[in-house]
Amino acid sequence: MPTEVAVGIFGGTFDPVHFGHLRLAEEAADTLGLAKVRWIPAGQPALRDTPRVGPRQRLDMVRLAIADNPRFELDTAEVDAEQKSFTVPTLERLRRADVYGSQQPLVLLVGADAFAGMAGWHRWRQLFELAHIAVAHRPGYAIEAAHLPAELADVFRQRACADPQLLTASPAGSIVTFAMTPLDISATRIRTLLSNHSSARYLAPDCVLEHIRTHHFYTEN
Ligand code: ATP
């Protein structure tokens, strides 16, 4: 039986990274008792349009945003791979003996909107063999089974776990939800503000916004 502390896995496009992401990871670490949160920017996200900013640039913004947080670490492998990123193969990579192996409890962190779309992910049912899933509340998105697609709702009912402490009792397989400070911030909104030459201050870290300004991201068509 695993006795280790669980590790959080946080994938995303991060186009750009913002305070919604940072609070999600920070509050997940506290609420779920995670030793670390491993941030994994997608190289080429599988299920969405090409990001506005390239993989290396998105990676650099995440690196800047998390640099001073000792609980956060950056995984560059999906960007380095220069191919489409899928969550199940990413988790399989993390399960290799030279990374976390098979017994370390891993907790995949997702927002409520991402969770609602999970049944559309490549080989999605295998996710539960590889990690627990922790779903953060996000303004505008419900997490109740009644609002999920039927096949995901069934899995949610079967695997829901009310006690985050139990995440360390097994390496994978449970779903927990957690309330975080509701922040109605999205990367889409930030991109729109910047393309209109409006301020995105207080929505993302100053160091990220400064980097965006220096490199003229999001202002050019
Ligand atoms: P976009 O607006 O471009 O779709 P986004 O703001 O949703 O981007 P992503 O990089 O797609 O950001 O999100 C990565 C993960 O963070 C997803 O699981 C998403 O649900 C979650 N997330 C993003 N913003 C928030 C937020 N404000 N509150 C809770 N979860 C969030």
Side-chain angles (χ1 to χ4, degrees), residues 11-34:
T13 309
F14 306 122
D15 185 26
V17 62
H18 55 67
F19 284 134
H21 302 128
L22 288 156
R23 282 307 300 178
L24 184 156
E26 183 75 354
E27 295 192 33
D30 279 347
T31 309
L32 308 176
L34 307 175

Side-chain angles (χ1 to χ4, degrees), residues 71-85:
R71 287 196 291 195
F72 291 169
E73 58 190 31
L74 186 61
D75 180 332
T76 66
E78 299 307 312
V79 168
D80 294 341
E82 297 184 352
Q83 57 190 18
K84 280 201 183 301
S85 301

Side-chain angles (χ1 to χ4, degrees), residues 10-15 18 20-21 24 48 109-114 136-139 180 183-189 191:
F10 189 31
T13 309
F14 306 122
D15 185 26
H18 55 67
H21 302 128
L24 184 156
R48 52 186 289 159
L109 308 177
V110 293
D113 58 311
H137 288 267
R138 184 172 187 176
M180 58 172 277
L183 291 170
D184 195 2
I185 302 174
S186 68
T188 303
R189 173 81 181 129
R191 293 194 299 273

Side-chain angles (χ1 to χ4, degrees), residues 6-12 14 24-25 28-29 32 34-41 71-75 78 86-95 99-101 104-111 118 121 127 130-135 171 178:
V7 170
I9 306 298
F10 189 31
F14 306 122
L24 184 156
L32 308 176
L34 307 175
K36 293 264 175 209
V37 175
R38 186 176 182 118
W39 291 62
I40 313 184
R71 287 196 291 195
F72 291 169
E73 58 190 31
L74 186 61
D75 180 332
E78 299 307 312
F86 295 96
T87 305
V88 167
T90 297
L91 291 171
E92 286 172 337
R93 168 172 66 80
L94 299 180
R95 282 297 181 196
V99 190
Y100 292 118
Q104 165 73 56
L106 297 180
V107 184
L108 181 70
L109 308 177
V110 293
M118 195 171 264
W121 293 8
L127 286 170
L130 294 160
H132 301 294
I133 314 289
V135 189
F178 68 101

Side-chain angles (χ1 to χ4, degrees), residues 185-205:
I185 302 174
S186 68
T188 303
R189 173 81 181 129
I190 293 174
R191 293 194 299 273
T192 303
L193 286 169
L194 295 173
S195 69
N196 292 334
H197 300 279
S198 299
S199 167
R201 200 166 178 202
Y202 311 123
L203 297 176

